[in-house]
Structures are given as C-alpha cells and as structure tokens.
Amino acid sequence: MATKLISLYLLLLLFIFQFRLSLSEQTNSMQSVPDLQKSMYMVIDGYPCVRLLNLSGEIGCANPGRDKVVTPIIRFRNANQLARSSAVFVSLDEIQELFDRISDDSSFAKNVGGVLVESRTNMQNNITGFSPAQKFPEVEFAPYKSISYEWNPIGSGIMRKAYNFPIFLLSEASSQIMQEIATKNERQKNAYTADVAEFDLVMQTTKSGTRDSESCLREQTCLPLGGYSVWSSLPPINITSSNQSKPIILIVASMDSASFFRDKSLGAESPISGLISLLAAVDSLSSMDGLGDLSKQLVFSVFTGEAWGYLGSRRFLLELDLQSDSVNGLNDTLIEMVIELGSVGKGFSGGNKTFFAHTAGVSSATNEILNAFKHAQDSLESKNVVIATASTTNPGLPPSSLMAFLRKNSSSSGIVLEDFDTAFANKFYHSHLDDMSNINSSAIVAAASLIARTLYILASGSKNLSSSALSAINVNASLVEEMMGCLLNCDPGLTCELVKDYISPTASCPSHYVGVVIGEPSSTPYLGYVSDVSRFIWNFLADRTSIPTENTSNDCSKGCSNKDEVCIRAETNGKGVCVISTTRYVPAYSTRLKFESGSWNVLPSNSSDPLGMVDPVWTESNWDAIGLRVYTVQDATFDRFVLFGGIAITILAYLAIAITRAFITKALKRD
C-alpha cells in the first residue's frame, strides 16, 4: 500500500514539474501583460446597435444591466431551444425569423444573451430585401390621413423596438472567425471548454434608470440627436442690402440616413443619391454666366436629422420664423416653391432614366415646376431622360422634408423628385446594405442634369429658352463618381482628394448617421463639433456658389474683412481663402429642446406647433466604452472536478508523506 502511494506521489511531482516547465516556456514567449491578453482574448470588429430614447421610452439595444454579458456562441439554425443564455450567431437572411421568434417565444427570448449578425460579400444578391424601418417611415409627420399606406412594403420596423440584449453586425473578417468558433462549439458540445462572446454594451441610461428622453436629459446621461444643416445661395445674396425682392426657389436634399447599426448608415440610395445630384447640379450651374441677372434666387439647403423626425427641416423653418443669424439674408416670405431631391440612384426603366415628380397639391407654382421639368426633359432627349407625374392614387407625398413645409404651411408649393412611383424602389431602405452597389452613377448624373436645367428654366423666368442655352448646362459625370467614392466607400472614402481639398477629415470611412449635438448650438459652431460630411458640404457649396473678392489676399486666418465673405479651406492649411458667398450652418435638433445653463431642457408642447406636438424628441444614450471579444472558458462542472481532484490529491499526498515517514522511522528503529 505504501509503495503504491509513493508511486502516485512521484507521478504527481512529475506532472507538476512538466506543467511548470510548459508554463515557463509560455511565459518566456510573452513579453508583457498585453501579450498575455492577446493570447487569451480576441477582439472582434463589429458595428453595434445602440440605445436611443424618446419621450415615450426606448428603442435599440443595450446590455440588460451594469455588467458585461458573457455567453457561449451558438448558430441560430441549430438553436431550436435555448437551454441557457447564448449569443446567437445569425445570417442576415435569417434575421427576420430570429426577431419573429424573439417576439413570439418568451422562453426562447429570455435566453438570448446577445446577437451576432453575419456579413457577407454581395449579400444584396442573395436576399430579396431588408429594411428595418417602418412601412411608412415618420408617419406621424404625414400631412394627410392615409397613414396606413405602405411606402416601404418590405419594412419590418425592428429598428424602432427596444432590445435588452446586445446586437452587433460583424465585419466580414470577424464573420469568418465567428463561423469557425460556432463550428468548434458544435463539435465540442459535451467538452469541458466553450468559446464565449463578451459584450460590452453598457449604456449610462440603463445604469441610471433614465428610460426616456426627458429624464435622461435632466440627469445628463444622453444627448439629443442632431447636427448641422447647410444652406447656400446661387448667386450670393447681398445681405447688407434691404432690397431683396427676388422670389426664392428652394432646392433641398438630406445628408443623413439611419440603420439598425449606428455606424453602418451609408444610405447610398436613400438619401445620398439625391445629395450628390444636388451638389453636381450646383457645380454645373455655377459655371453659367449671368446668374445675377436671373429673375429668381436659387437657394440650396442640405438638411441633417431628417431620418429622425425631420429635425433639420423643422429647425430650419423655426430659425426662419425667428430670423436668427443662421438664416441671415434669407426671407421666408419670398420662398415661392420648394423642390426636393429624394432617392434618384435607381432611376432606370426599359433603357430610360425615369424619375417621378410627386407634387404637393395643385397650384400655379406646381404646374410651373412640372412644365419646366418637361422642358428640361426635351432638352435631354438624346440621353433618354424621362420625367413622369406620380400616380394620382398615391395618398400624397412620400416621406420627405417637404412634409415639414406642408405641415407648417399647407399652401406651400413643391415637388419631390424620386425614382419610384407608388412604393420605394430601394429594397434596403435604412439598412446597412444600402451601399454603393445599390445605386447607379448614370441615374444620378441624369437626375442632376434634369434638375440643373429645370432650375435654370425656372430662375430665368423665360418659357422660350433656346436649346443651345440649356445644352451649355452639363453635369460632370467624373465629379459624380468621385463623390460616390468619397461619401459611400472606405476606399478612398473621406480621405479622397476632393474632400481633402476642403477639410481635414477625422475618419476615412463615411457614415451618415446624424450623431448628437455637442455643446451649445450656434450659427458659427466650433468645427470640432461639426461632422466631416457637414463641413465638406459647407466648403463645397461656399466654393461653388462664390464670386471672387476684390481683396487679393488669400489668407483668412484672421477672418474676412467683409460681411458678405466666408473663409473656405481653412482646415487644409490653417489659412484658407476669403470668398463672397452666402453659405451658413443651421443647427439641427428638436424644436422641443432648449439649451440653457449648460444643459438641455424639454419644452412643453404647444398647440400652435402641430409638428412639435408629435415630435418624439430623439436622444442617444451615453456610454463609457463599447466592445466585443471572444475567449475560451471552462465548464463550471469541470472547474468543480478540478477543485475536488486537487483536494483529493492533497489528501493523498499528505497520507503518502505520513506513511512514508512512518515506514522510514520504523526501518531506522529496526536497524
């Protein structure tokens, strides 16, 4: 018996020696704590769904409490029942089925610890569509009663619901890694180790218990959604003159989109195709002679926050009422008509580039716009550009900034130019899949050509413009393609030469999520609080709509001497150039909010402001850090086995030592 115990003890010592030798070799290969962490934890690239709030409650995603969520990874297709908390790895074509299951099966939902959404190349070709938005986006702002109409039939509405678990969209590289991990977990189903995902998506609103916009703004655990819109006039308006009597044609587009995943909001078709068309039209018109002799004033406005309750257009209209510095030089009583460029990147049908004019009622101004469109179409006959009036069976305008104008003044005259008639052509509306592959540059060029010539016809006031005059208005197709690469791709992205000629971008990959308002809103904001895209648009429009100054100095580091002048390209070399241009930033945030004494306050609703009464007042929760990583953990049962095994070995070792000592003592006495 003693001999067996001694043998067991020696084997234990040999095992400990080998383990220490192996540990020593590993330690020698690791030079620092970060090396050790890198060997244990794998950081996963992804795009989170975050927590947003309004006056009624919450939407979006967050960890359920104050702690990180750690849970094993399982494929959705293998998860008939979830016996314990799990991170569900799901492909995009299964995501609607997953959310339906979460809604319908409470026992399944309570064990969803997190969701990991797979990314694949050319995913758009493998699914019929994916839109997490509502079937009628921003329905509460519709200027008509047919609110059950489906402009977005494929919309699921999942992005407007609240989820008390983290959800991440994985990068393509991380998707491949997660595939391998999920497969490994399936193979080792009964093993003592498992690979787990650790989600760090703890929101401050969750920690503080502030579950709506009013309470989180009061406790300063969130910030309002918003940013800075831009407007510019062509030619510049003489703001020092009191004699401004030209009727205004206001041309608008949006610069922001939305997505289920915060930082993956490209919005190529909706609305960036319209934005690029507007910028290209401005570029083509700016080279025309005699703009100062036109009988009407062209004003271009690019709004942000339109995806979240038309924040930009509503705030713009309020600033006009207040005659604030941000709209200095603009008289709202002179606005004769509004033309909006919506989704125009898919305008192809039967070899023609087809666009639809959605009208806001019937008026002489609306008919004038339609006639100008027809005239412009005829001048583009060789390019097969077709303009059609939208179906009369439509309940009214599609979701657009023009709705805000109509709700404020029902007699407003305007048209929205779109590439669809009765329902969105975009099958990926407000989805991360609405990327550059979802649009066509030729359609954008055609829309820009159509709008540029239409505007010239309207502004000239002449019904008999010669075809030669209109043929001089040509859109730069290369510029359109360059802007697509800058605004809709990471390569070159915002580090493209066009953008870098005006600003110093803070990031390469563009995202058109509206963001949050930081600090006090201002008509002359601190540029660090203005997004890259807003700053680029401001500089581009200020440059293209400008006229040279009499001052020969190119340096405006000390400011421009004339009130009519602005400083462009100031970021690129620290000096910039003074030009005569009427280009302004306009803060974009809820009309129900007021910034005072360093904090935001929600104003009471006012019956005189019907749009304010339905304003959700969107905010975004603050957070300390967001992260996702995977690592291997041992099963708790195995941990207990190791513990009890260690205790047993310790007892055996003690007995072996005691018996050995007794044996040796007895042997010595015998001698």
Side-chain angles (χ1 to χ4, degrees), residues 43-83:
V43 176
I44 300 297
D45 293 328
Y47 306 90
C49 158
V50 301
R51 174 70 79 220
L52 300 180
L53 305 95
N54 56 34
L55 293 178
S56 302
E58 302 171 312
I59 68 167
C61 316
N63 283 15
R66 297 167 172 263
D67 302 318
K68 298 177 182 178
V69 172
V70 179
T71 185
I73 302 159
I74 185 172
R75 292 180 207 263
F76 174 58
R77 64 170 176 262
N78 296 330
N80 293 326
Q81 295 294 329
L82 293 180

Side-chain angles (χ1 to χ4, degrees), residues 414-480:
I415 279 182
V416 183
L417 187 69
E418 304 275 11
D419 56 17
F420 62 85
D421 185 1
T422 57
F424 292 171
N426 185 7
K427 301 302 181 185
F428 304 104
Y429 180 82
H430 282 184
S431 156
H432 65 282
L433 295 176
D434 188 9
D435 58 21
M436 199 157 72
S437 67
N438 196 37
I439 58 175
N440 189 293
S441 63
S442 297
I444 297 176
V445 170
S449 301
L450 184 66
I451 200 69
R453 296 190 180 191
T454 298
L455 292 176
Y456 192 78
I457 294 166
L458 290 170
S460 67
S462 172
K463 298 179 180 179
N464 300 309
L465 275 176
S466 65
S467 58
S468 60
L470 292 178
S471 63
I473 304 173
N474 292 299
V475 168
N476 185 343
S478 297
L479 175 65
V480 168

Side-chain angles (χ1 to χ4, degrees), residues 125-417:
N125 299 328
N126 302 322
I127 58 177
T128 55
F130 172 66
S131 174
Q134 300 158 302
K135 294 184 184 298
F136 191 148
E138 308 304 318
V139 62
E140 58 268 37
F141 296 96
Y144 45 82
K145 295 181 180 179
S146 302
I147 58 175
S148 60
Y149 190 81
E150 296 184 0
W151 289 104
N152 184 30
I154 206 166
S156 64
I158 61 172
M159 68 182 286
R160 292 299 177 98
K161 297 179 181 179
Y163 305 97
N164 289 318
F165 49 81
I167 304 177
F168 279 77
L169 171 70
L170 303 175
S171 66
E172 288 187 27
S174 295
S175 295
Q176 186 61 42
I177 293 169
M178 209 58 67
Q179 286 273 15
E180 296 169 2
I181 289 172
T183 302
K184 177 183 171 185
N185 277 351
E186 289 166 8
R187 284 202 308 263
Q188 300 179 345
K189 196 170 186 179
N190 298 317
Y192 62 86
T193 62
D195 286 343
V196 298
E198 179 190 86
F199 298 91
D200 187 357
L201 196 67
V202 180
M203 298 284 121
Q204 284 191 17
T205 51
T206 304
K207 293 198 298 185
S208 65
T210 49
R211 303 288 185 172
D212 59 67
S213 288
E214 190 163 12
S215 62
C216 74
L217 287 171
R218 185 171 56 249
E219 297 299 323
Q220 298 187 3
T221 58
C222 65
L223 286 171
L225 292 192
Y228 285 89
S229 303
V230 178
W231 72 270
S232 184
S233 65
L234 181 70
I237 297 170
N238 183 0
I239 61 173
T240 58
S241 171
S242 59
N243 183 25
Q244 296 176 20
S245 56
K246 280 187 180 182
I248 293 173
I249 303 172
L250 182 64
I251 308 95
V252 305
S254 301
M255 70 170 85
D256 77 294
S257 185
S259 166
F260 195 81
F261 306 100
R262 182 190 192 275
D263 299 317
K264 198 68 172 173
S265 303
L266 283 173
E269 160 71 339
S270 308
I272 303 303
S273 62
L275 167 63
I276 294 174
S277 290
L278 181 146
L279 297 178
V282 172
D283 175 72
S284 64
L285 287 169
S286 65
S287 61
M288 297 293 290
D289 295 327
L291 292 174
D293 298 327
L294 295 175
S295 60
K296 295 180 182 179
Q297 178 71 53
L298 297 176
V299 174
F300 300 88
S301 189
V302 182
F303 299 129
T304 191
E306 297 304 273
W308 300 97
Y310 305 116
L311 296 176
S313 52
R314 289 172 49 227
R315 174 56 61 173
F316 176 76
L317 289 168
L318 179 59
E319 297 296 315
L320 282 173
D321 284 345
L322 299 174
Q323 276 300 292
S324 68
D325 290 342
S326 61
V327 291
N328 185 20
L330 197 58
N331 186 340
D332 63 324
T333 62
L334 296 177
I335 298 176
E336 185 177 85
M337 58 186 71
V338 181
I339 301 176
E340 181 170 357
L341 279 163
S343 303
V344 295
K346 301 176 79 68
F348 280 86
S349 176
N352 293 324
K353 301 173 183 70
T354 306
F355 303 98
F356 295 90
H358 296 259
T359 60
V362 178
S363 67
S364 59
T366 302
N367 290 332
E368 185 181 352
I369 299 171
L370 290 173
N371 291 334
F373 268 127
K374 292 293 184 184
H375 191 171
Q377 171 191 291
D378 293 341
S379 73
L380 292 165
E381 185 177 3
S382 62
K383 298 183 180 180
N384 297 323
V385 178
V386 176
I387 181 77
T389 304
S391 173
T392 55
T393 62
N394 291 346
L397 292 174
S400 56
S401 302
L402 188 52
M403 283 185 168
F405 286 82
L406 282 176
R407 285 295 297 268
K408 186 176 187 299
N409 181 0
S410 59
S411 62
S412 298
S413 297
I415 279 182
V416 183
L417 187 69

